[in-house]
Amino acid sequence: MNTPFADQSIILKIEMGPDQGRRAFLPDSEQSPWTLGRSIESSFPILDSQISSHHSEIRFTESGHQIRDLSSRNGTYVNNEKIFDWHPLSVDDVIRIGTTELSVKRTSDHPTPPTPSSESIELSHTILTDPGSGKGPERCPRCLQFIEIESTPVRRVSCYVFCSPCIENEDAAGRRMKNLTLLYELGRGAIGVVYRARHELLEMDVAVKILHSQFSHDSTQRERFLREARIGMSLVHPHILRVHDIDHDGDQLFLTTEYIPGQDLSHRILEQGPQPLEFSIPLGIRMAQALHFGHSHEVIHRDVKPGNILLDENDIPRLADFNIARAAQFTPASQNTPQGVVIGTLRYMAPEQLDVNRPVDHRADLYALGATLFHTLTGEPPFNTDNRLRLIRDVLTAAPPLASDRRPDLPAALDQIFQTVLAQDPSDRYPSGSAFAEALAYIG
């Protein structure tokens, strides 16, 4: 039988999940609520991809400890009962968040082993919100594993402590660029390389995109880079990646954006395969709304694809990479792209983008989002072949396939949506991002 807390210290122990075996003392005074979640800023960070960055919180009151859910993605359960508002906790209760199960124990029932010490356990959440303090275990900000800094090779960069495997091949780690300290590489492309960095004055993490050095004196690439920054700073929307600033370090241009801990949609599909409707439809709606916002500000993206949709720890998407964006409507005579050069990613490009003699407007973005959503739900784009000439022919001439042919459990209404948004003729597509979002909302 579960019993209320007595005058003893209470610990929370992870019985099942990626961080199995870790534990921490619960608060024993009426201080600020104590949070559980994936974020390194949580009081008790847990490495579990199925929990939210700030998933639930625990507080101490005169009547004992209580827990509540913080509008998490997968819910908080106590003894298999889903809870929402403050719920009392007792000894031997079992808390489940994501794939992690935690038990509530008295210290007298659960002696603390010598390593890590009880002092280290008490300090762990404080250290995580004050990185680099040098006391007890710290958490590597890249792999999220705990490090015993007294016995493990580590490297300090800015306010962080990294385990050696995470940083040993990062040649740029520790490099200063104005007020930024580079931490590690997040990705690279044809135009530049992106790093996670620490803004030392603002004391916050950002992403830094650095133009490749070979383009330092290339006026066309520099102008595209500057345009990406200007567009990003002008489009303030919850589902568009926010650009903070653009600057240069010598001849090297760089821009800073908000840092999104998580992964892009292409990696999500690669790792997990076709995504469920409950994930895909809200994503499609949010991206359609983001595109509508951009179009209303006379900007088209021209390269909507899974790799340019970033997902945070709560699966909230941001549209990124406006490097090749243009005015909301342009003709071959008004664009700066060299004649005969096709811009975009072929598997997601609208037919009119493949014909340099045809005008391209905002409906090309809707086609690309439709192809992206089709890929998200079925595991592959509508037209998918390694033969480039055949791929171009299919995009230009073939009718879009039925999503239900590739995934029979999808509702028939989705087939009609894809037939509309992937239509060859732009005039047969949805007229706006908001119209596309409204159509998807009927599915959701």
PDB file of all heavy atoms in Angstrom, residues 318-348:
ATOM      1  N   ARG A 318      10.071  24.455 -37.839  1.00  0.00           N
ATOM      2  CA  ARG A 318      10.461  25.776 -38.342  1.00  0.00           C
ATOM      3  C   ARG A 318      10.947  25.605 -39.775  1.00  0.00           C
ATOM      4  O   ARG A 318      11.731  24.696 -40.063  1.00  0.00           O
ATOM      5  CB  ARG A 318      11.623  26.365 -37.575  1.00  0.00           C
ATOM      6  CG  ARG A 318      11.577  26.825 -36.133  1.00  0.00           C
ATOM      7  CD  ARG A 318      10.372  26.955 -35.374  1.00  0.00           C
ATOM      8  NE  ARG A 318      10.691  27.467 -34.043  1.00  0.00           N
ATOM      9  CZ  ARG A 318      10.728  26.703 -32.964  1.00  0.00           C
ATOM     10  NH1 ARG A 318      10.521  25.411 -33.043  1.00  0.00           N
ATOM     11  NH2 ARG A 318      10.987  27.241 -31.779  1.00  0.00           N
ATOM     12  N   LEU A 319      10.502  26.482 -40.647  1.00  0.00           N
ATOM     13  CA  LEU A 319      10.974  26.497 -42.026  1.00  0.00           C
ATOM     14  C   LEU A 319      12.270  27.291 -42.077  1.00  0.00           C
ATOM     15  O   LEU A 319      12.335  28.421 -41.588  1.00  0.00           O
ATOM     16  CB  LEU A 319       9.923  27.130 -42.938  1.00  0.00           C
ATOM     17  CG  LEU A 319      10.247  27.205 -44.429  1.00  0.00           C
ATOM     18  CD1 LEU A 319      10.420  25.806 -45.010  1.00  0.00           C
ATOM     19  CD2 LEU A 319       9.147  27.960 -45.172  1.00  0.00           C
ATOM     20  N   ALA A 320      13.295  26.710 -42.661  1.00  0.00           N
ATOM     21  CA  ALA A 320      14.622  27.330 -42.671  1.00  0.00           C
ATOM     22  C   ALA A 320      15.139  27.478 -44.094  1.00  0.00           C
ATOM     23  O   ALA A 320      14.544  26.991 -45.049  1.00  0.00           O
ATOM     24  CB  ALA A 320      15.593  26.488 -41.835  1.00  0.00           C
ATOM     25  N   ASP A 321      16.274  28.154 -44.223  1.00  0.00           N
ATOM     26  CA  ASP A 321      17.070  28.262 -45.444  1.00  0.00           C
ATOM     27  C   ASP A 321      16.340  29.014 -46.562  1.00  0.00           C
ATOM     28  O   ASP A 321      15.809  28.416 -47.504  1.00  0.00           O
ATOM     29  CB  ASP A 321      17.508  26.892 -45.936  1.00  0.00           C
ATOM     30  CG  ASP A 321      18.723  26.983 -46.863  1.00  0.00           C
ATOM     31  OD1 ASP A 321      19.034  28.106 -47.310  1.00  0.00           O
ATOM     32  OD2 ASP A 321      19.343  25.955 -47.144  1.00  0.00           O
ATOM     33  N   PHE A 322      16.364  30.348 -46.458  1.00  0.00           N
ATOM     34  CA  PHE A 322      15.791  31.203 -47.499  1.00  0.00           C
ATOM     35  C   PHE A 322      16.875  31.690 -48.460  1.00  0.00           C
ATOM     36  O   PHE A 322      16.769  32.764 -49.043  1.00  0.00           O
ATOM     37  CB  PHE A 322      15.076  32.398 -46.862  1.00  0.00           C
ATOM     38  CG  PHE A 322      13.727  32.057 -46.297  1.00  0.00           C
ATOM     39  CD1 PHE A 322      13.605  31.452 -45.057  1.00  0.00           C
ATOM     40  CD2 PHE A 322      12.575  32.329 -47.009  1.00  0.00           C
ATOM     41  CE1 PHE A 322      12.369  31.135 -44.534  1.00  0.00           C
ATOM     42  CE2 PHE A 322      11.319  32.014 -46.487  1.00  0.00           C
ATOM     43  CZ  PHE A 322      11.224  31.414 -45.259  1.00  0.00           C
ATOM     44  N   ASN A 323      17.919  30.874 -48.654  1.00  0.00           N
ATOM     45  CA  ASN A 323      19.061  31.304 -49.457  1.00  0.00           C
ATOM     46  C   ASN A 323      18.698  31.605 -50.900  1.00  0.00           C
ATOM     47  O   ASN A 323      19.299  32.455 -51.541  1.00  0.00           O
ATOM     48  CB  ASN A 323      20.163  30.244 -49.388  1.00  0.00           C
ATOM     49  CG  ASN A 323      21.412  30.658 -50.137  1.00  0.00           C
ATOM     50  OD1 ASN A 323      21.639  30.251 -51.270  1.00  0.00           O
ATOM     51  ND2 ASN A 323      22.229  31.477 -49.496  1.00  0.00           N
ATOM     52  N   ILE A 324      17.713  30.880 -51.457  1.00  0.00           N
ATOM     53  CA  ILE A 324      17.353  31.118 -52.856  1.00  0.00           C
ATOM     54  C   ILE A 324      15.955  31.717 -52.975  1.00  0.00           C
ATOM     55  O   ILE A 324      15.339  31.664 -54.025  1.00  0.00           O
ATOM     56  CB  ILE A 324      17.464  29.829 -53.702  1.00  0.00           C
ATOM     57  CG1 ILE A 324      16.483  28.753 -53.204  1.00  0.00           C
ATOM     58  CG2 ILE A 324      18.886  29.306 -53.700  1.00  0.00           C
ATOM     59  CD1 ILE A 324      16.423  27.539 -54.118  1.00  0.00           C
ATOM     60  N   ALA A 325      15.447  32.269 -51.880  1.00  0.00           N
ATOM     61  CA  ALA A 325      14.121  32.883 -51.906  1.00  0.00           C
ATOM     62  C   ALA A 325      14.105  34.096 -52.835  1.00  0.00           C
ATOM     63  O   ALA A 325      15.133  34.723 -53.096  1.00  0.00           O
ATOM     64  CB  ALA A 325      13.708  33.298 -50.499  1.00  0.00           C
ATOM     65  N   ARG A 326      12.906  34.413 -53.318  1.00  0.00           N
ATOM     66  CA  ARG A 326      12.744  35.532 -54.246  1.00  0.00           C
ATOM     67  C   ARG A 326      11.485  36.325 -53.915  1.00  0.00           C
ATOM     68  O   ARG A 326      10.712  35.947 -53.040  1.00  0.00           O
ATOM     69  CB  ARG A 326      12.621  35.003 -55.686  1.00  0.00           C
ATOM     70  CG  ARG A 326      13.910  34.463 -56.262  1.00  0.00           C
ATOM     71  CD  ARG A 326      14.889  35.576 -56.524  1.00  0.00           C
ATOM     72  NE  ARG A 326      16.073  35.083 -57.213  1.00  0.00           N
ATOM     73  CZ  ARG A 326      17.181  35.770 -57.367  1.00  0.00           C
ATOM     74  NH1 ARG A 326      17.284  36.970 -56.861  1.00  0.00           N
ATOM     75  NH2 ARG A 326      18.209  35.264 -58.018  1.00  0.00           N
ATOM     76  N   ALA A 327      11.284  37.411 -54.660  1.00  0.00           N
ATOM     77  CA  ALA A 327      10.045  38.172 -54.565  1.00  0.00           C
ATOM     78  C   ALA A 327       8.882  37.252 -54.911  1.00  0.00           C
ATOM     79  O   ALA A 327       9.039  36.275 -55.650  1.00  0.00           O
ATOM     80  CB  ALA A 327      10.078  39.362 -55.516  1.00  0.00           C
ATOM     81  N   ALA A 328       7.713  37.558 -54.417  1.00  0.00           N
ATOM     82  CA  ALA A 328       6.578  36.642 -54.487  1.00  0.00           C
ATOM     83  C   ALA A 328       6.171  36.270 -55.900  1.00  0.00           C
ATOM     84  O   ALA A 328       5.553  35.242 -56.117  1.00  0.00           O
ATOM     85  CB  ALA A 328       5.370  37.231 -53.751  1.00  0.00           C
ATOM     86  N   GLN A 329       6.494  37.095 -56.877  1.00  0.00           N
ATOM     87  CA  GLN A 329       6.266  36.682 -58.264  1.00  0.00           C
ATOM     88  C   GLN A 329       7.400  37.247 -59.099  1.00  0.00           C
ATOM     89  O   GLN A 329       7.774  38.403 -58.956  1.00  0.00           O
ATOM     90  CB  GLN A 329       4.929  37.182 -58.819  1.00  0.00           C
ATOM     91  CG  GLN A 329       4.745  36.754 -60.274  1.00  0.00           C
ATOM     92  CD  GLN A 329       3.283  36.704 -60.664  1.00  0.00           C
ATOM     93  OE1 GLN A 329       2.407  36.749 -59.823  1.00  0.00           O
ATOM     94  NE2 GLN A 329       3.014  36.591 -61.942  1.00  0.00           N
ATOM     95  N   PHE A 330       8.001  36.394 -59.924  1.00  0.00           N
ATOM     96  CA  PHE A 330       9.064  36.893 -60.781  1.00  0.00           C
ATOM     97  C   PHE A 330       9.014  36.175 -62.114  1.00  0.00           C
ATOM     98  O   PHE A 330       8.447  35.101 -62.244  1.00  0.00           O
ATOM     99  CB  PHE A 330      10.444  36.730 -60.131  1.00  0.00           C
ATOM    100  CG  PHE A 330      10.844  35.306 -59.869  1.00  0.00           C
ATOM    101  CD1 PHE A 330      11.569  34.579 -60.820  1.00  0.00           C
ATOM    102  CD2 PHE A 330      10.491  34.685 -58.683  1.00  0.00           C
ATOM    103  CE1 PHE A 330      11.926  33.265 -60.573  1.00  0.00           C
ATOM    104  CE2 PHE A 330      10.855  33.367 -58.443  1.00  0.00           C
ATOM    105  CZ  PHE A 330      11.572  32.660 -59.387  1.00  0.00           C
ATOM    106  N   THR A 331       9.590  36.790 -63.112  1.00  0.00           N
ATOM    107  CA  THR A 331       9.671  36.211 -64.448  1.00  0.00           C
ATOM    108  C   THR A 331      11.126  36.018 -64.779  1.00  0.00           C
ATOM    109  O   THR A 331      12.016  36.548 -64.094  1.00  0.00           O
ATOM    110  CB  THR A 331       9.037  37.162 -65.479  1.00  0.00           C
ATOM    111  OG1 THR A 331       9.818  38.367 -65.513  1.00  0.00           O
ATOM    112  CG2 THR A 331       7.592  37.472 -65.121  1.00  0.00           C
ATOM    113  N   PRO A 332      11.455  35.247 -65.807  1.00  0.00           N
ATOM    114  CA  PRO A 332      12.848  35.073 -66.172  1.00  0.00           C
ATOM    115  C   PRO A 332      13.580  36.390 -66.384  1.00  0.00           C
ATOM    116  O   PRO A 332      14.765  36.490 -66.125  1.00  0.00           O
ATOM    117  CB  PRO A 332      12.757  34.256 -67.471  1.00  0.00           C
ATOM    118  CG  PRO A 332      11.472  33.502 -67.348  1.00  0.00           C
ATOM    119  CD  PRO A 332      10.545  34.429 -66.627  1.00  0.00           C
ATOM    120  N   ALA A 333      12.863  37.410 -66.837  1.00  0.00           N
ATOM    121  CA  ALA A 333      13.528  38.689 -67.090  1.00  0.00           C
ATOM    122  C   ALA A 333      13.853  39.449 -65.817  1.00  0.00           C
ATOM    123  O   ALA A 333      14.747  40.274 -65.789  1.00  0.00           O
ATOM    124  CB  ALA A 333      12.639  39.562 -67.984  1.00  0.00           C
ATOM    125  N   SER A 334      13.119  39.161 -64.703  1.00  0.00           N
ATOM    126  CA  SER A 334      13.289  39.950 -63.486  1.00  0.00           C
ATOM    127  C   SER A 334      14.155  39.282 -62.444  1.00  0.00           C
ATOM    128  O   SER A 334      14.501  39.881 -61.447  1.00  0.00           O
ATOM    129  CB  SER A 334      11.917  40.245 -62.861  1.00  0.00           C
ATOM    130  OG  SER A 334      11.317  39.044 -62.402  1.00  0.00           O
ATOM    131  N   GLN A 335      14.531  38.037 -62.639  1.00  0.00           N
ATOM    132  CA  GLN A 335      15.308  37.340 -61.622  1.00  0.00           C
ATOM    133  C   GLN A 335      16.796  37.508 -61.890  1.00  0.00           C
ATOM    134  O   GLN A 335      17.219  37.843 -62.986  1.00  0.00           O
ATOM    135  CB  GLN A 335      14.947  35.853 -61.601  1.00  0.00           C
ATOM    136  CG  GLN A 335      15.212  35.137 -62.919  1.00  0.00           C
ATOM    137  CD  GLN A 335      15.075  33.650 -62.780  1.00  0.00           C
ATOM    138  OE1 GLN A 335      15.710  33.056 -61.928  1.00  0.00           O
ATOM    139  NE2 GLN A 335      14.258  33.038 -63.614  1.00  0.00           N
ATOM    140  N   ASN A 336      17.603  37.265 -60.831  1.00  0.00           N
ATOM    141  CA  ASN A 336      19.051  37.361 -60.956  1.00  0.00           C
ATOM    142  C   ASN A 336      19.704  36.021 -61.245  1.00  0.00           C
ATOM    143  O   ASN A 336      20.902  35.952 -61.437  1.00  0.00           O
ATOM    144  CB  ASN A 336      19.648  37.932 -59.652  1.00  0.00           C
ATOM    145  CG  ASN A 336      19.238  39.380 -59.453  1.00  0.00           C
ATOM    146  OD1 ASN A 336      19.089  40.118 -60.412  1.00  0.00           O
ATOM    147  ND2 ASN A 336      19.037  39.771 -58.197  1.00  0.00           N
ATOM    148  N   THR A 337      18.918  34.943 -61.211  1.00  0.00           N
ATOM    149  CA  THR A 337      19.470  33.632 -61.524  1.00  0.00           C
ATOM    150  C   THR A 337      19.906  33.591 -62.986  1.00  0.00           C
ATOM    151  O   THR A 337      19.146  33.997 -63.863  1.00  0.00           O
ATOM    152  CB  THR A 337      18.417  32.536 -61.278  1.00  0.00           C
ATOM    153  OG1 THR A 337      17.997  32.632 -59.930  1.00  0.00           O
ATOM    154  CG2 THR A 337      19.003  31.161 -61.541  1.00  0.00           C
ATOM    155  N   PRO A 338      21.116  33.104 -63.274  1.00  0.00           N
ATOM    156  CA  PRO A 338      21.578  33.065 -64.663  1.00  0.00           C
ATOM    157  C   PRO A 338      20.609  32.293 -65.543  1.00  0.00           C
ATOM    158  O   PRO A 338      20.017  31.301 -65.129  1.00  0.00           O
ATOM    159  CB  PRO A 338      22.936  32.349 -64.554  1.00  0.00           C
ATOM    160  CG  PRO A 338      23.382  32.601 -63.156  1.00  0.00           C
ATOM    161  CD  PRO A 338      22.136  32.633 -62.330  1.00  0.00           C
ATOM    162  N   GLN A 339      20.436  32.756 -66.782  1.00  0.00           N
ATOM    163  CA  GLN A 339      19.519  32.127 -67.722  1.00  0.00           C
ATOM    164  C   GLN A 339      19.901  30.654 -67.923  1.00  0.00           C
ATOM    165  O   GLN A 339      21.068  30.317 -68.125  1.00  0.00           O
ATOM    166  CB  GLN A 339      19.572  32.859 -69.063  1.00  0.00           C
ATOM    167  CG  GLN A 339      18.549  32.369 -70.078  1.00  0.00           C
ATOM    168  CD  GLN A 339      17.132  32.745 -69.687  1.00  0.00           C
ATOM    169  OE1 GLN A 339      16.930  33.663 -68.904  1.00  0.00           O
ATOM    170  NE2 GLN A 339      16.160  32.034 -70.220  1.00  0.00           N
ATOM    171  N   GLY A 340      18.903  29.781 -67.842  1.00  0.00           N
ATOM    172  CA  GLY A 340      19.142  28.361 -68.064  1.00  0.00           C
ATOM    173  C   GLY A 340      19.505  27.592 -66.813  1.00  0.00           C
ATOM    174  O   GLY A 340      19.627  26.368 -66.851  1.00  0.00           O
ATOM    175  N   VAL A 341      19.674  28.286 -65.668  1.00  0.00           N
ATOM    176  CA  VAL A 341      20.035  27.617 -64.424  1.00  0.00           C
ATOM    177  C   VAL A 341      18.764  27.320 -63.628  1.00  0.00           C
ATOM    178  O   VAL A 341      17.953  28.217 -63.375  1.00  0.00           O
ATOM    179  CB  VAL A 341      20.996  28.490 -63.576  1.00  0.00           C
ATOM    180  CG1 VAL A 341      21.253  27.837 -62.227  1.00  0.00           C
ATOM    181  CG2 VAL A 341      22.303  28.701 -64.330  1.00  0.00           C
ATOM    182  N   VAL A 342      18.571  26.051 -63.256  1.00  0.00           N
ATOM    183  CA  VAL A 342      17.399  25.636 -62.488  1.00  0.00           C
ATOM    184  C   VAL A 342      17.764  25.634 -61.004  1.00  0.00           C
ATOM    185  O   VAL A 342      18.780  25.056 -60.609  1.00  0.00           O
ATOM    186  CB  VAL A 342      16.920  24.234 -62.927  1.00  0.00           C
ATOM    187  CG1 VAL A 342      15.816  23.736 -62.008  1.00  0.00           C
ATOM    188  CG2 VAL A 342      16.430  24.283 -64.369  1.00  0.00           C
ATOM    189  N   ILE A 343      16.958  26.304 -60.178  1.00  0.00           N
ATOM    190  CA  ILE A 343      17.228  26.441 -58.755  1.00  0.00           C
ATOM    191  C   ILE A 343      16.184  25.652 -57.968  1.00  0.00           C
ATOM    192  O   ILE A 343      14.989  25.789 -58.203  1.00  0.00           O
ATOM    193  CB  ILE A 343      17.189  27.919 -58.323  1.00  0.00           C
ATOM    194  CG1 ILE A 343      18.289  28.711 -59.039  1.00  0.00           C
ATOM    195  CG2 ILE A 343      17.324  28.051 -56.833  1.00  0.00           C
ATOM    196  CD1 ILE A 343      19.687  28.339 -58.620  1.00  0.00           C
ATOM    197  N   GLY A 344      16.648  24.840 -57.008  1.00  0.00           N
ATOM    198  CA  GLY A 344      15.742  24.077 -56.158  1.00  0.00           C
ATOM    199  C   GLY A 344      16.223  22.647 -56.015  1.00  0.00           C
ATOM    200  O   GLY A 344      17.339  22.296 -56.392  1.00  0.00           O
ATOM    201  N   THR A 345      15.368  21.807 -55.437  1.00  0.00           N
ATOM    202  CA  THR A 345      15.680  20.390 -55.253  1.00  0.00           C
ATOM    203  C   THR A 345      14.687  19.588 -56.078  1.00  0.00           C
ATOM    204  O   THR A 345      13.475  19.656 -55.854  1.00  0.00           O
ATOM    205  CB  THR A 345      15.596  20.009 -53.761  1.00  0.00           C
ATOM    206  OG1 THR A 345      16.493  20.850 -53.016  1.00  0.00           O
ATOM    207  CG2 THR A 345      15.975  18.556 -53.555  1.00  0.00           C
ATOM    208  N   LEU A 346      15.187  18.829 -57.038  1.00  0.00           N
ATOM    209  CA  LEU A 346      14.382  18.284 -58.126  1.00  0.00           C
ATOM    210  C   LEU A 346      13.175  17.479 -57.657  1.00  0.00           C
ATOM    211  O   LEU A 346      12.082  17.608 -58.213  1.00  0.00           O
ATOM    212  CB  LEU A 346      15.281  17.421 -59.022  1.00  0.00           C
ATOM    213  CG  LEU A 346      14.715  16.991 -60.372  1.00  0.00           C
ATOM    214  CD1 LEU A 346      14.208  18.183 -61.157  1.00  0.00           C
ATOM    215  CD2 LEU A 346      15.790  16.250 -61.167  1.00  0.00           C
ATOM    216  N   ARG A 347      13.322  16.635 -56.640  1.00  0.00           N
ATOM    217  CA  ARG A 347      12.219  15.770 -56.230  1.00  0.00           C
ATOM    218  C   ARG A 347      11.036  16.540 -55.639  1.00  0.00           C
ATOM    219  O   ARG A 347       9.955  15.984 -55.470  1.00  0.00           O
ATOM    220  CB  ARG A 347      12.715  14.725 -55.232  1.00  0.00           C
ATOM    221  CG  ARG A 347      13.522  13.597 -55.874  1.00  0.00           C
ATOM    222  CD  ARG A 347      14.074  12.645 -54.823  1.00  0.00           C
ATOM    223  NE  ARG A 347      14.632  11.446 -55.434  1.00  0.00           N
ATOM    224  CZ  ARG A 347      15.854  11.370 -55.978  1.00  0.00           C
ATOM    225  NH1 ARG A 347      16.620  12.460 -55.994  1.00  0.00           N
ATOM    226  NH2 ARG A 347      16.301  10.241 -56.513  1.00  0.00           N
ATOM    227  N   TYR A 348      11.237  17.800 -55.286  1.00  0.00           N
ATOM    228  CA  TYR A 348      10.169  18.594 -54.669  1.00  0.00           C
ATOM    229  C   TYR A 348       9.809  19.820 -55.509  1.00  0.00           C
ATOM    230  O   TYR A 348       8.977  20.617 -55.091  1.00  0.00           O
ATOM    231  CB  TYR A 348      10.602  19.041 -53.256  1.00  0.00           C
ATOM    232  CG  TYR A 348      11.099  17.877 -52.435  1.00  0.00           C
ATOM    233  CD1 TYR A 348      12.467  17.597 -52.360  1.00  0.00           C
ATOM    234  CD2 TYR A 348      10.216  17.018 -51.792  1.00  0.00           C
ATOM    235  CE1 TYR A 348      12.935  16.504 -51.647  1.00  0.00           C
ATOM    236  CE2 TYR A 348      10.672  15.919 -51.086  1.00  0.00           C
ATOM    237  CZ  TYR A 348      12.033  15.666 -51.022  1.00  0.00           C
ATOM    238  OH  TYR A 348      12.499  14.579 -50.320  1.00  0.00           O
TER     239      TYR A 348
END
